[in-house]
Amino acid sequence: MKRTTALLFFGVFGIITILAFEGTDQASAAQMEWKPAYSDMLGQPYKHKVVKYSPTGWGNYEGGYRKEYFSSDKHIQYRYLLKSRTIVYRYNNHDKLLQSKYNYLKIVMRHGHKIPEYSYYYKLGHHKWVYSVTYKYWLRDPVKY
């Protein structure tokens, strides 16, 4: 009788432990879901300045590629990483030659919330991240990110 009671107790305890761990996995997975992006997420600047730029990425990603692959449409999604203050935007890819469903834009934020510096990185299809430019913005209101 003691043996069955002990086995029953440890069985119930084991099931509760497993359910508790599954619940934390679902909570952490929910934080990393893609959310729909909206305009003025990163604040409304009244002044900006180019701090640094990459000669190779500057022309490609701030000029031609940006209009073609990173145009504003209604299906832009984002994911925010608090630890590194990074926002990754996901755009639908319309180019069949890239063989990828999405193109990505990563913005790394530094130096405060009222006058931040945003570094832009672009990724087309399965290519590597390419640094483009770093802007310093003066915002009307502090940004929450």
Side-chain angles (χ1 to χ4, degrees):
M1 185 71 181
K2 287 184 180 180
R3 188 174 194 177
T4 8
T5 307
L7 285 174
L8 184 63
F9 173 74
F10 286 119
V12 170
F13 180 73
I15 290 172
I16 291 172
T17 306
I18 289 171
L19 291 175
F21 283 125
E22 283 182 6
T24 57
D25 289 344
Q26 290 174 354
S28 64
Q31 292 173 354
M32 294 306 291
E33 289 179 2
W34 291 98
K35 301 173 190 169
Y38 55 92
S39 61
D40 298 334
M41 280 178 55
L42 299 178
Q44 296 177 346
Y46 62 88
K47 185 171 122 181
H48 73 278
K49 173 181 153 183
V50 175
V51 177
K52 180 181 173 186
Y53 69 93
S54 168
T56 56
W58 173 262
N60 289 335
Y61 291 99
E62 289 298 313
Y65 286 162
R66 186 169 188 165
K67 291 178 184 173
E68 187 176 345
Y69 294 111
F70 302 97
S71 63
S72 304
D73 61 352
K74 59 184 177 182
H75 300 293
I76 300 172
Q77 297 174 328
Y78 78 98
R79 181 185 295 179
Y80 177 65
L81 305 170
L82 178 64
K83 195 171 192 178
S84 61
R85 285 189 72 197
T86 303
I87 289 186
V88 179
Y89 288 102
R90 179 169 79 174
Y91 294 84
N92 287 337
N93 185 11
H94 303 291
D95 189 357
K96 302 296 182 195
L97 295 175
L98 290 176
Q99 297 180 352
S100 177
K101 192 170 180 180
Y102 300 107
N103 296 324
Y104 298 95
L105 163 65
K106 177 169 64 172
I107 301 175
V108 180
M109 294 172 272
R110 295 182 191 90
H111 303 297
H113 297 272
K114 184 74 172 177
I115 307 174
E117 286 185 3
Y118 293 165
S119 297
Y120 290 81
Y121 298 84
Y122 293 93
K123 182 178 178 182
L124 281 176
H126 298 291
H127 296 77
K128 294 181 179 180
W129 289 102
V130 176
Y131 169 74
S132 175
V133 64
T134 299
Y135 287 106
K136 183 173 189 172
Y137 289 106
W138 284 264
L139 303 175
R140 297 188 193 285
D141 298 318
V143 69
K144 67 178 183 178
Y145 298 107

